[in-house]
């Protein structure tokens, strides 16, 4: 049985029920190895794909590519379970192409050579080939480069899938030859649609309470494949327990060890730590606490979070509130002593303090500007009056001559003195804000600069007779 889509292409229709012995060919399929629900219910047409409306809706890029019958190399970038493999398979069906799938985790030189040889055979038979490389970011540079001449010659249409940012993980040469399509997690409404699609055929005979459905969708976290796998687990657990009703408590107990999707090395991880940092910087304690707890819920190492929280104190609070440094260090030490979950409260308290503290990035900006200047500047010698003179020879050479000992000066400040190398251009890297303690620091520095200005206008006086290093 086939079904014609709006674009006119013919694909096998979505199965109305799972195969069984009474279905033509069902016995043979049952004898084969068991296919997970996510595989058995994989969409067979574009119209059956849930989600990605920004790519598959009318007039959208991928829909147009299918309708134009013009395959092109592309890279699907998105989290797990959002349809990357499904779309690649649908392309093969739409373009009557041979679908060759490689996994960058499992495939090596032999598999790549075999795929190329098969593509060459297809070309001789005047048939297109789609080469799908899952987790393409796991191939090294040389392996990715190996595809280039065949992509350029049109031997096959290259389709890569990655959960990582291709800007960093895919070679620029390969990236320039492929369109990048960003796939997003399914929305709650789309997950509800998927749940409704499979509920009757998988959970028939079971009463599923709303809180159970909501918990399943929440744990799946926008991952369609994961939702289907969770539904399978719940069905099995309910059968074992001989239940006729599933509630939220049963789901919680069955999936006690399930965590939200959270790739500790991928974009989701860095996106969330970025959101935490920016919430702290933006002085929103509730948002900061939300992202902190999201990361804990997703399995982030609290020690990593502690390190990032310490960094936030130095980068975004700085001298506006020096107490922040002690608070975050104490929180990190508390976690080391108590561990999880008790120590996590200390880290959460530190996050809240940073969020409500006065903000200043002046130290961070001053440090960055100084490092940038020095990286480009010549190695200027230390002025003689600032050099140490522990020996007679050094003193005879003028080391330390005319150095002014600040403690012997009025206000313990040597007004008009310079501590930079000779001929150093004037710089003003540290510019305190008017927030928190830095407001007082700004007042003091303004006063000292006024003393400098007055001293440079006054007649020169002999330096103090007391010379100290």
């Amino acid at each position: 049985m086939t079904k014609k889509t709006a674009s006119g292409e013919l694909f096998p229709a979505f199965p109305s029920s799972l195969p069984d012995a009474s279905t033509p060919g069902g016995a043979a399929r049952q004898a084969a190895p068991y296919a997970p629900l996510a595989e058995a219910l994989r969409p067979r047409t574009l119209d059956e794909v849930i989600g990605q409306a920004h790519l598959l809706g009318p007039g959208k890029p991928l829909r147009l590519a299918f309708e134009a019958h013009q395959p092109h190399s592309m890279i699907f970038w998105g989290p797990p379970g959002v349809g990357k493999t499904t779309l690649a398979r649908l392309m093969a069906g739409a373009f009557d192409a041979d679908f060759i799938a490689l996994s960058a985790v499992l495939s090596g030189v032999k598999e790549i050579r075999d795929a190329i040889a098969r593509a060459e055979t297809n070309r001789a038979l005047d048939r297109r080939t789609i080469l799908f490389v899952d987790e393409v970011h796991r191939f090294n540079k040389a392996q990715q480069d190996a595809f280039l001449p065949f992509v350029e010659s049109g031997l096959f249409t290259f389709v890569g899938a990655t959960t990582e940012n291709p800007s960093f993980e895919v070679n620029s040469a390969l990236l320039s030859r492929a369109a990048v399509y960003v796939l997003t997690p399914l929305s709650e409404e789309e997950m509800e649609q998927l749940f409704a699609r499979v509920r009757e055929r998988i959970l028939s005979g079971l009463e599923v309470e709303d809180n159970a459905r909501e918990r399943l969708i929440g744990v799946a976290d926008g991952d369609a494949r994961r939702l289907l796998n969770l539904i399978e687990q719940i069905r099995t657990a309910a059968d074992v327990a001989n239940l006729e009703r599933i509630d939220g408590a049963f789901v919680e107990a069955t999936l006690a060890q399930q965590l939200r999707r959270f790739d500790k090395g991928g974009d989701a991880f860095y996106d969330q730590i970025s959101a935490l940092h920016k919430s702290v910087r933006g002085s929103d304690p509730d948002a900061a606490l939300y992202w902190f707890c999201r990361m804990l819920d997703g399995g982030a190492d609290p020690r990593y979070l502690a390190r990032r929280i310490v960094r936030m104190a130095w980068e975004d609070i700085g001298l506006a509130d020096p107490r922040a440094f002690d608070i975050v260090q104490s929180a990190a030490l508390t976690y080391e002593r108590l561990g999880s979950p008790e120590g996590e409260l200390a880290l959460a308290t530190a996050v809240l303090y940073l969020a409500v503290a006065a903000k200043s990035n002046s130290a961070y900006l001053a440090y960055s500007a100084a490092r940038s200047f020095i990286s480009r500047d010549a190695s200027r010698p230390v002025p003689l009056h600032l050099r140490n003179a522990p020996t007679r020879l050094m003193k005879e050479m003028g080391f330390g001559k005319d150095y002014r000992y600040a403690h012997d000066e009025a206000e313990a400040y040597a007004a008009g003195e310079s501590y930079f190398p000779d001929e150093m251009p004037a710089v003003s890297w540290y510019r305190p804000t008017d927030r928190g303690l830095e407001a007082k620091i700004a007042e003091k520095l303004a006063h000292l600069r006024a003393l400098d200005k007055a001293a440079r206008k006054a007649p020169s006086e002999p330096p103090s007779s007391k010379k100290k290093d």
Side-chain angles (χ1 to χ4, degrees), residues 39-310:
E39 183 63 33
L41 300 185
R42 188 184 295 278
R44 269 55 170 186
T45 74
L46 278 185
D47 294 331
E48 290 166 359
V49 176
I50 295 176
Q52 314 313 323
H54 63 294
L55 298 176
L56 302 176
K60 299 302 181 179
L62 277 182
R63 172 72 66 172
L64 292 176
F66 276 75
E67 293 174 349
H69 306 289
Q70 292 295 326
H72 59 272
S73 293
M74 60 187 71
I75 293 174
F76 295 137
W77 171 27
V82 296
K84 298 187 292 293
T85 303
T86 293
L87 289 176
R89 289 184 179 277
L90 289 177
M91 284 183 60
F95 304 133
D96 190 26
D98 185 19
F99 183 80
I100 303 176
L102 297 179
S103 168
V105 176
L106 303 174
S107 302
V109 174
K110 179 182 182 301
E111 288 75 16
I112 295 175
R113 287 176 176 170
D114 289 346
I116 293 171
R118 183 167 149 188
E120 289 173 339
T121 299
N122 287 332
R123 183 164 62 179
L125 298 173
D126 199 25
R127 189 183 184 193
R128 289 170 171 166
T129 300
I130 289 182
L131 178 63
F132 175 68
V133 180
D134 196 17
E135 298 189 82
V136 63
H137 61 276
R138 295 185 182 272
F139 271 148
N140 60 36
K141 183 179 185 300
Q143 289 170 314
Q144 291 183 29
D145 283 344
F147 294 114
L148 288 176
F150 306 105
V151 172
E152 292 176 339
S153 69
L155 178 63
F156 51 70
T157 299
F158 178 86
V159 180
T162 177
T163 57
E164 306 293 330
N165 190 330
S167 299
F168 305 129
E169 304 296 339
V170 178
N171 290 354
S172 57
L174 183 58
L175 197 60
S176 68
R177 291 162 175 80
V180 176
Y181 295 111
V182 181
L183 279 66
T184 59
L186 273 65
S187 68
E188 185 174 344
E189 293 76 13
E190 291 165 344
M191 294 291 276
E192 292 272 9
Q193 183 182 348
L194 177 61
F195 187 90
R197 176 180 290 184
V198 301
R199 176 174 180 170
E200 289 305 317
R201 66 187 67 178
I202 304 302
L203 299 176
S204 58
L206 285 174
E207 179 185 350
V208 181
E209 295 190 358
D210 289 344
N211 58 7
R213 184 193 73 256
E214 291 168 359
R215 182 55 181 155
L216 285 168
I217 290 174
V219 173
D221 201 21
D223 183 331
R225 180 171 56 246
R226 189 173 191 183
L227 177 60
L228 295 176
N229 291 339
L230 292 174
I231 291 173
E232 274 194 298
Q233 293 179 41
I234 290 297
R235 170 83 257 187
T236 300
D239 288 344
V240 171
N242 198 28
L243 295 179
E244 296 182 355
R245 182 176 60 86
I246 298 173
D247 58 16
F250 179 74
V251 172
E252 289 281 355
T254 304
L255 307 179
Q257 301 304 314
Q258 293 285 345
L259 296 173
R260 295 180 185 272
R261 181 184 64 245
F262 191 84
D263 182 358
K264 297 179 184 178
D267 290 309
F269 178 87
Y270 293 107
D271 287 345
Q272 290 183 29
I273 195 64
S274 174
L276 170 60
H277 196 153
K278 288 170 181 171
S279 298
V280 167
R281 181 182 296 150
S283 299
D284 190 329
D286 293 323
L289 193 60
Y290 170 82
W291 290 113
F292 175 75
C293 292
R294 269 284 302 274
M295 295 195 75
L296 288 179
D297 181 63
D301 183 354
R303 290 181 177 84
Y304 171 82
L305 292 175
R307 292 195 297 272
R308 291 303 299 251
I309 292 166
V310 171

Side-chain angles (χ1 to χ4, degrees), residues 413-417 445-459:
Y413 183 69
E417 182 64 286
L445 288 179
H447 173 64
L448 297 180
R449 297 295 86 82
L451 294 179
D452 287 338
K453 187 175 181 180
R456 293 185 180 113
K457 288 183 178 180

Side-chain angles (χ1 to χ4, degrees), residues 374-407:
I374 289 169
S375 69
R376 295 177 280 104
D377 192 41
S379 297
R380 300 172 185 269
V382 177
L384 289 178
H385 73 284
L386 296 181
R387 299 189 189 187
N388 192 21
T391 68
R392 178 182 298 177
L393 176 61
M394 289 179 172
K395 290 179 181 178
E396 292 175 352
M397 294 175 64
F399 285 21
K401 183 180 179 181
D402 295 334
Y403 168 66
R404 297 165 60 188
Y405 188 60
H407 292 288

